[in-house]
Amino acid sequence: MGEVDPACIQDTQHRPKLAVIEAEGIPLIDLSSANAFNHVSQIADACKNWGFFQVINHGVPSESRRKIEDAARKFFALPLEEKRKVSRDEVNPLGYFDTEHTKNVRDWKEVFDLVVSSPAFIPASPDPDEKELNELINQWPQYPPELREVCEEYAREMEKLAFKLLGLISLSLGFPENRFNLLFEESTNFIRFNHYPPCPIPHLALGAGRHKDGVALTILAQDDVGGLQVKLKTNGEWVRVKPTPDTYIINVGDIVQVWSNDTFESVEHRVMVNSEGERFSIPFFFSPGHHVWVKPLEELTKGEKPKYRAYN
């Protein structure tokens, strides 16, 4: 990323401690059918107490993941002028970007965003009554040539896993497994490539500043370098989520928190960088259709005041 941009420097209270605390006890859930009896209780416990968990035996072919990780590395290795040929702009938020800010501080990363179903449509403004829709169209670079096919294959696998997890979350809230499925019929799901280059000031900057995800679920593939930190609900400490081979990290987003009326909670997380090596990750963001009004579910709020107003 070249010279250090002062916009990357975090306020003192948000600067990372280089002495890393490893997270102990983040749930690791085996999604194989042999363990099916335990899935619902394990998911409920993880969503309630952590907001994060990891899954193994998830059904996503390792070859599909390897191919998309290889393609991401090839793309980010391109010269900057090549990557900028598919830059996002004021009209289309999809494509390449290297000046993203989280809470008004620049992140030490570059990204490439795409939607799973292209074209996709989102409201033209945040106005709840907005009727006009903007069309989102993926921008595909010339290189690597296999990128589009690889992404489309991986997206199908991610959607299958996302619906499986959604069903388990529904069961863990006491609903039928398919309670939420209709809400995702016209979903706008995103895949992002993250590249965090080596950073000369890892004690002052973050790859991604503290934030929560506004979606229903995030499914994250991270490499073996690590850097993801979660803020513990118990004591507010930032702890590192150690990479585990062939797992996905799942986090509950704001939408599930609202549906559950705070039974499950979306938690803050951030990404540390380091001065020695680069890091890659690929999150999949799973959301209901933009027309869906999100609010606490009536079945969960009987005799209890909803904690959120409806929004879309």
Side-chain angles (χ1 to χ4, degrees), residues 83-106:
K83 290 182 282 193
R84 285 187 170 162
K85 288 179 181 177
V86 289
S87 286
R88 77 188 194 196
D89 55 33
E90 292 82 2
V91 177
N92 189 357
L94 303 178
Y96 176 75
F97 198 55
D98 63 353
T99 54
E100 186 154 276
H101 288 58
T102 303
K103 300 195 186 301
N104 301 315
V105 181
R106 185 179 173 187

PDB file of all heavy atoms in Angstrom, residues 83-106:
ATOM      1  N   LYS A  83      -5.719  -3.610 -11.489  1.00  0.00           N
ATOM      2  CA  LYS A  83      -6.804  -3.778 -10.519  1.00  0.00           C
ATOM      3  C   LYS A  83      -7.778  -2.607 -10.597  1.00  0.00           C
ATOM      4  O   LYS A  83      -9.002  -2.781 -10.467  1.00  0.00           O
ATOM      5  CB  LYS A  83      -6.231  -3.914  -9.106  1.00  0.00           C
ATOM      6  CG  LYS A  83      -5.496  -5.227  -8.886  1.00  0.00           C
ATOM      7  CD  LYS A  83      -4.976  -5.390  -7.470  1.00  0.00           C
ATOM      8  CE  LYS A  83      -3.713  -4.586  -7.224  1.00  0.00           C
ATOM      9  NZ  LYS A  83      -3.037  -4.960  -5.970  1.00  0.00           N
ATOM     10  N   ARG A  84      -7.251  -1.424 -10.810  1.00  0.00           N
ATOM     11  CA  ARG A  84      -8.117  -0.243 -10.852  1.00  0.00           C
ATOM     12  C   ARG A  84      -8.989  -0.179 -12.100  1.00  0.00           C
ATOM     13  O   ARG A  84      -9.905   0.644 -12.160  1.00  0.00           O
ATOM     14  CB  ARG A  84      -7.275   1.018 -10.702  1.00  0.00           C
ATOM     15  CG  ARG A  84      -6.806   1.203  -9.256  1.00  0.00           C
ATOM     16  CD  ARG A  84      -6.119   2.505  -9.012  1.00  0.00           C
ATOM     17  NE  ARG A  84      -5.911   2.720  -7.574  1.00  0.00           N
ATOM     18  CZ  ARG A  84      -5.049   3.586  -7.059  1.00  0.00           C
ATOM     19  NH1 ARG A  84      -4.302   4.343  -7.878  1.00  0.00           N
ATOM     20  NH2 ARG A  84      -4.922   3.729  -5.754  1.00  0.00           N
ATOM     21  N   LYS A  85      -8.752  -1.027 -13.067  1.00  0.00           N
ATOM     22  CA  LYS A  85      -9.641  -1.091 -14.236  1.00  0.00           C
ATOM     23  C   LYS A  85     -11.024  -1.612 -13.851  1.00  0.00           C
ATOM     24  O   LYS A  85     -11.992  -1.427 -14.596  1.00  0.00           O
ATOM     25  CB  LYS A  85      -9.026  -1.978 -15.320  1.00  0.00           C
ATOM     26  CG  LYS A  85      -7.831  -1.355 -16.028  1.00  0.00           C
ATOM     27  CD  LYS A  85      -7.264  -2.302 -17.077  1.00  0.00           C
ATOM     28  CE  LYS A  85      -6.057  -1.671 -17.766  1.00  0.00           C
ATOM     29  NZ  LYS A  85      -5.447  -2.611 -18.749  1.00  0.00           N
ATOM     30  N   VAL A  86     -11.103  -2.287 -12.698  1.00  0.00           N
ATOM     31  CA  VAL A  86     -12.404  -2.777 -12.227  1.00  0.00           C
ATOM     32  C   VAL A  86     -12.741  -2.135 -10.877  1.00  0.00           C
ATOM     33  O   VAL A  86     -13.366  -2.756 -10.012  1.00  0.00           O
ATOM     34  CB  VAL A  86     -12.433  -4.325 -12.124  1.00  0.00           C
ATOM     35  CG1 VAL A  86     -12.442  -4.949 -13.510  1.00  0.00           C
ATOM     36  CG2 VAL A  86     -11.265  -4.856 -11.298  1.00  0.00           C
ATOM     37  N   SER A  87     -12.350  -0.879 -10.700  1.00  0.00           N
ATOM     38  CA  SER A  87     -12.628  -0.171  -9.446  1.00  0.00           C
ATOM     39  C   SER A  87     -14.104   0.118  -9.293  1.00  0.00           C
ATOM     40  O   SER A  87     -14.804   0.392 -10.272  1.00  0.00           O
ATOM     41  CB  SER A  87     -11.860   1.148  -9.389  1.00  0.00           C
ATOM     42  OG  SER A  87     -10.500   0.937  -9.142  1.00  0.00           O
ATOM     43  N   ARG A  88     -14.567   0.102  -8.050  1.00  0.00           N
ATOM     44  CA  ARG A  88     -15.933   0.524  -7.779  1.00  0.00           C
ATOM     45  C   ARG A  88     -15.997   2.046  -7.840  1.00  0.00           C
ATOM     46  O   ARG A  88     -14.979   2.741  -7.735  1.00  0.00           O
ATOM     47  CB  ARG A  88     -16.399  -0.014  -6.435  1.00  0.00           C
ATOM     48  CG  ARG A  88     -15.879   0.687  -5.204  1.00  0.00           C
ATOM     49  CD  ARG A  88     -16.281  -0.101  -3.956  1.00  0.00           C
ATOM     50  NE  ARG A  88     -16.095   0.660  -2.740  1.00  0.00           N
ATOM     51  CZ  ARG A  88     -16.073   0.118  -1.517  1.00  0.00           C
ATOM     52  NH1 ARG A  88     -16.197  -1.186  -1.375  1.00  0.00           N
ATOM     53  NH2 ARG A  88     -15.924   0.871  -0.452  1.00  0.00           N
ATOM     54  N   ASP A  89     -17.208   2.559  -8.012  1.00  0.00           N
ATOM     55  CA  ASP A  89     -17.371   4.007  -8.106  1.00  0.00           C
ATOM     56  C   ASP A  89     -18.689   4.419  -7.449  1.00  0.00           C
ATOM     57  O   ASP A  89     -19.343   3.606  -6.794  1.00  0.00           O
ATOM     58  CB  ASP A  89     -17.319   4.470  -9.572  1.00  0.00           C
ATOM     59  CG  ASP A  89     -18.322   3.749 -10.462  1.00  0.00           C
ATOM     60  OD1 ASP A  89     -19.426   3.407  -9.954  1.00  0.00           O
ATOM     61  OD2 ASP A  89     -18.039   3.533 -11.654  1.00  0.00           O
ATOM     62  N   GLU A  90     -19.086   5.668  -7.644  1.00  0.00           N
ATOM     63  CA  GLU A  90     -20.303   6.180  -6.994  1.00  0.00           C
ATOM     64  C   GLU A  90     -21.558   5.460  -7.476  1.00  0.00           C
ATOM     65  O   GLU A  90     -22.553   5.378  -6.758  1.00  0.00           O
ATOM     66  CB  GLU A  90     -20.447   7.686  -7.251  1.00  0.00           C
ATOM     67  CG  GLU A  90     -19.397   8.548  -6.566  1.00  0.00           C
ATOM     68  CD  GLU A  90     -18.098   8.608  -7.345  1.00  0.00           C
ATOM     69  OE1 GLU A  90     -18.027   7.997  -8.448  1.00  0.00           O
ATOM     70  OE2 GLU A  90     -17.137   9.221  -6.847  1.00  0.00           O
ATOM     71  N   VAL A  91     -21.511   4.941  -8.690  1.00  0.00           N
ATOM     72  CA  VAL A  91     -22.682   4.282  -9.268  1.00  0.00           C
ATOM     73  C   VAL A  91     -22.710   2.799  -8.917  1.00  0.00           C
ATOM     74  O   VAL A  91     -23.746   2.250  -8.537  1.00  0.00           O
ATOM     75  CB  VAL A  91     -22.708   4.473 -10.805  1.00  0.00           C
ATOM     76  CG1 VAL A  91     -23.883   3.717 -11.420  1.00  0.00           C
ATOM     77  CG2 VAL A  91     -22.778   5.949 -11.146  1.00  0.00           C
ATOM     78  N   ASN A  92     -21.570   2.135  -9.051  1.00  0.00           N
ATOM     79  CA  ASN A  92     -21.499   0.686  -8.820  1.00  0.00           C
ATOM     80  C   ASN A  92     -20.549   0.390  -7.666  1.00  0.00           C
ATOM     81  O   ASN A  92     -19.339   0.604  -7.769  1.00  0.00           O
ATOM     82  CB  ASN A  92     -21.009  -0.019 -10.086  1.00  0.00           C
ATOM     83  CG  ASN A  92     -21.115  -1.538  -9.968  1.00  0.00           C
ATOM     84  OD1 ASN A  92     -21.505  -2.066  -8.935  1.00  0.00           O
ATOM     85  ND2 ASN A  92     -20.770  -2.238 -11.044  1.00  0.00           N
ATOM     86  N   PRO A  93     -21.080  -0.120  -6.528  1.00  0.00           N
ATOM     87  CA  PRO A  93     -20.213  -0.394  -5.375  1.00  0.00           C
ATOM     88  C   PRO A  93     -19.462  -1.718  -5.465  1.00  0.00           C
ATOM     89  O   PRO A  93     -18.821  -2.125  -4.498  1.00  0.00           O
ATOM     90  CB  PRO A  93     -21.213  -0.424  -4.211  1.00  0.00           C
ATOM     91  CG  PRO A  93     -22.467  -0.942  -4.834  1.00  0.00           C
ATOM     92  CD  PRO A  93     -22.495  -0.384  -6.235  1.00  0.00           C
ATOM     93  N   LEU A  94     -19.522  -2.390  -6.610  1.00  0.00           N
ATOM     94  CA  LEU A  94     -18.841  -3.672  -6.770  1.00  0.00           C
ATOM     95  C   LEU A  94     -17.507  -3.482  -7.480  1.00  0.00           C
ATOM     96  O   LEU A  94     -17.345  -2.586  -8.303  1.00  0.00           O
ATOM     97  CB  LEU A  94     -19.716  -4.643  -7.562  1.00  0.00           C
ATOM     98  CG  LEU A  94     -21.102  -4.923  -6.977  1.00  0.00           C
ATOM     99  CD1 LEU A  94     -21.880  -5.856  -7.897  1.00  0.00           C
ATOM    100  CD2 LEU A  94     -20.996  -5.512  -5.578  1.00  0.00           C
ATOM    101  N   GLY A  95     -16.559  -4.362  -7.161  1.00  0.00           N
ATOM    102  CA  GLY A  95     -15.255  -4.305  -7.802  1.00  0.00           C
ATOM    103  C   GLY A  95     -14.143  -4.039  -6.804  1.00  0.00           C
ATOM    104  O   GLY A  95     -14.256  -4.361  -5.616  1.00  0.00           O
ATOM    105  N   TYR A  96     -13.071  -3.443  -7.301  1.00  0.00           N
ATOM    106  CA  TYR A  96     -11.852  -3.242  -6.508  1.00  0.00           C
ATOM    107  C   TYR A  96     -11.907  -1.919  -5.750  1.00  0.00           C
ATOM    108  O   TYR A  96     -12.442  -0.927  -6.238  1.00  0.00           O
ATOM    109  CB  TYR A  96     -10.635  -3.241  -7.446  1.00  0.00           C
ATOM    110  CG  TYR A  96      -9.330  -2.934  -6.752  1.00  0.00           C
ATOM    111  CD1 TYR A  96      -8.708  -3.893  -5.949  1.00  0.00           C
ATOM    112  CD2 TYR A  96      -8.732  -1.686  -6.877  1.00  0.00           C
ATOM    113  CE1 TYR A  96      -7.519  -3.612  -5.291  1.00  0.00           C
ATOM    114  CE2 TYR A  96      -7.533  -1.396  -6.234  1.00  0.00           C
ATOM    115  CZ  TYR A  96      -6.935  -2.365  -5.435  1.00  0.00           C
ATOM    116  OH  TYR A  96      -5.759  -2.077  -4.784  1.00  0.00           O
ATOM    117  N   PHE A  97     -11.308  -1.918  -4.555  1.00  0.00           N
ATOM    118  CA  PHE A  97     -11.260  -0.694  -3.749  1.00  0.00           C
ATOM    119  C   PHE A  97     -10.107  -0.806  -2.765  1.00  0.00           C
ATOM    120  O   PHE A  97      -9.879  -1.879  -2.191  1.00  0.00           O
ATOM    121  CB  PHE A  97     -12.584  -0.510  -2.993  1.00  0.00           C
ATOM    122  CG  PHE A  97     -12.825   0.881  -2.473  1.00  0.00           C
ATOM    123  CD1 PHE A  97     -12.798   1.977  -3.319  1.00  0.00           C
ATOM    124  CD2 PHE A  97     -13.101   1.092  -1.132  1.00  0.00           C
ATOM    125  CE1 PHE A  97     -13.044   3.263  -2.835  1.00  0.00           C
ATOM    126  CE2 PHE A  97     -13.350   2.371  -0.642  1.00  0.00           C
ATOM    127  CZ  PHE A  97     -13.324   3.457  -1.497  1.00  0.00           C
ATOM    128  N   ASP A  98      -9.361   0.281  -2.555  1.00  0.00           N
ATOM    129  CA  ASP A  98      -8.229   0.207  -1.632  1.00  0.00           C
ATOM    130  C   ASP A  98      -8.183   1.367  -0.636  1.00  0.00           C
ATOM    131  O   ASP A  98      -7.158   1.590   0.010  1.00  0.00           O
ATOM    132  CB  ASP A  98      -6.899   0.118  -2.388  1.00  0.00           C
ATOM    133  CG  ASP A  98      -6.600   1.334  -3.248  1.00  0.00           C
ATOM    134  OD1 ASP A  98      -7.486   2.211  -3.378  1.00  0.00           O
ATOM    135  OD2 ASP A  98      -5.485   1.413  -3.791  1.00  0.00           O
ATOM    136  N   THR A  99      -9.291   2.092  -0.512  1.00  0.00           N
ATOM    137  CA  THR A  99      -9.320   3.189   0.471  1.00  0.00           C
ATOM    138  C   THR A  99     -10.570   3.099   1.344  1.00  0.00           C
ATOM    139  O   THR A  99     -11.216   4.102   1.627  1.00  0.00           O
ATOM    140  CB  THR A  99      -9.245   4.571  -0.225  1.00  0.00           C
ATOM    141  OG1 THR A  99     -10.287   4.664  -1.200  1.00  0.00           O
ATOM    142  CG2 THR A  99      -7.903   4.783  -0.892  1.00  0.00           C
ATOM    143  N   GLU A 100     -10.896   1.892   1.763  1.00  0.00           N
ATOM    144  CA  GLU A 100     -12.078   1.721   2.606  1.00  0.00           C
ATOM    145  C   GLU A 100     -11.807   2.233   4.018  1.00  0.00           C
ATOM    146  O   GLU A 100     -10.721   2.058   4.566  1.00  0.00           O
ATOM    147  CB  GLU A 100     -12.474   0.243   2.667  1.00  0.00           C
ATOM    148  CG  GLU A 100     -13.771   0.006   3.406  1.00  0.00           C
ATOM    149  CD  GLU A 100     -14.477  -1.257   2.966  1.00  0.00           C
ATOM    150  OE1 GLU A 100     -15.203  -1.197   1.961  1.00  0.00           O
ATOM    151  OE2 GLU A 100     -14.277  -2.297   3.604  1.00  0.00           O
ATOM    152  N   HIS A 101     -12.825   2.873   4.586  1.00  0.00           N
ATOM    153  CA  HIS A 101     -12.739   3.386   5.955  1.00  0.00           C
ATOM    154  C   HIS A 101     -13.761   2.669   6.839  1.00  0.00           C
ATOM    155  O   HIS A 101     -14.878   2.400   6.407  1.00  0.00           O
ATOM    156  CB  HIS A 101     -13.034   4.888   5.993  1.00  0.00           C
ATOM    157  CG  HIS A 101     -11.935   5.733   5.413  1.00  0.00           C
ATOM    158  ND1 HIS A 101     -11.490   5.594   4.119  1.00  0.00           N
ATOM    159  CD2 HIS A 101     -11.195   6.736   5.973  1.00  0.00           C
ATOM    160  CE1 HIS A 101     -10.511   6.490   3.893  1.00  0.00           C
ATOM    161  NE2 HIS A 101     -10.325   7.180   4.992  1.00  0.00           N
ATOM    162  N   THR A 102     -13.355   2.352   8.068  1.00  0.00           N
ATOM    163  CA  THR A 102     -14.277   1.838   9.083  1.00  0.00           C
ATOM    164  C   THR A 102     -14.273   2.824  10.244  1.00  0.00           C
ATOM    165  O   THR A 102     -13.217   3.110  10.801  1.00  0.00           O
ATOM    166  CB  THR A 102     -13.843   0.444   9.580  1.00  0.00           C
ATOM    167  OG1 THR A 102     -13.762  -0.447   8.457  1.00  0.00           O
ATOM    168  CG2 THR A 102     -14.841  -0.108  10.583  1.00  0.00           C
ATOM    169  N   LYS A 103     -15.428   3.357  10.564  1.00  0.00           N
ATOM    170  CA  LYS A 103     -15.557   4.396  11.601  1.00  0.00           C
ATOM    171  C   LYS A 103     -14.573   5.548  11.346  1.00  0.00           C
ATOM    172  O   LYS A 103     -13.880   6.034  12.242  1.00  0.00           O
ATOM    173  CB  LYS A 103     -15.361   3.794  12.999  1.00  0.00           C
ATOM    174  CG  LYS A 103     -16.379   2.702  13.321  1.00  0.00           C
ATOM    175  CD  LYS A 103     -16.422   2.371  14.794  1.00  0.00           C
ATOM    176  CE  LYS A 103     -17.331   1.172  15.071  1.00  0.00           C
ATOM    177  NZ  LYS A 103     -18.708   1.340  14.658  1.00  0.00           N
ATOM    178  N   ASN A 104     -14.520   5.951  10.072  1.00  0.00           N
ATOM    179  CA  ASN A 104     -13.761   7.132   9.636  1.00  0.00           C
ATOM    180  C   ASN A 104     -12.247   6.984   9.735  1.00  0.00           C
ATOM    181  O   ASN A 104     -11.526   7.979   9.655  1.00  0.00           O
ATOM    182  CB  ASN A 104     -14.204   8.386  10.400  1.00  0.00           C
ATOM    183  CG  ASN A 104     -15.681   8.675  10.207  1.00  0.00           C
ATOM    184  OD1 ASN A 104     -16.180   8.607   9.088  1.00  0.00           O
ATOM    185  ND2 ASN A 104     -16.385   8.953  11.289  1.00  0.00           N
ATOM    186  N   VAL A 105     -11.762   5.757   9.896  1.00  0.00           N
ATOM    187  CA  VAL A 105     -10.320   5.508   9.858  1.00  0.00           C
ATOM    188  C   VAL A 105     -10.050   4.538   8.712  1.00  0.00           C
ATOM    189  O   VAL A 105     -10.737   3.519   8.577  1.00  0.00           O
ATOM    190  CB  VAL A 105      -9.805   4.909  11.186  1.00  0.00           C
ATOM    191  CG1 VAL A 105      -8.294   4.693  11.130  1.00  0.00           C
ATOM    192  CG2 VAL A 105     -10.166   5.820  12.353  1.00  0.00           C
ATOM    193  N   ARG A 106      -9.035   4.844   7.902  1.00  0.00           N
ATOM    194  CA  ARG A 106      -8.756   4.005   6.737  1.00  0.00           C
ATOM    195  C   ARG A 106      -8.224   2.637   7.162  1.00  0.00           C
ATOM    196  O   ARG A 106      -7.360   2.530   8.031  1.00  0.00           O
ATOM    197  CB  ARG A 106      -7.737   4.697   5.817  1.00  0.00           C
ATOM    198  CG  ARG A 106      -7.491   3.924   4.525  1.00  0.00           C
ATOM    199  CD  ARG A 106      -6.499   4.633   3.625  1.00  0.00           C
ATOM    200  NE  ARG A 106      -6.163   3.795   2.477  1.00  0.00           N
ATOM    201  CZ  ARG A 106      -5.225   4.075   1.585  1.00  0.00           C
ATOM    202  NH1 ARG A 106      -4.521   5.208   1.704  1.00  0.00           N
ATOM    203  NH2 ARG A 106      -4.975   3.266   0.573  1.00  0.00           N
TER     204      ARG A 106
END
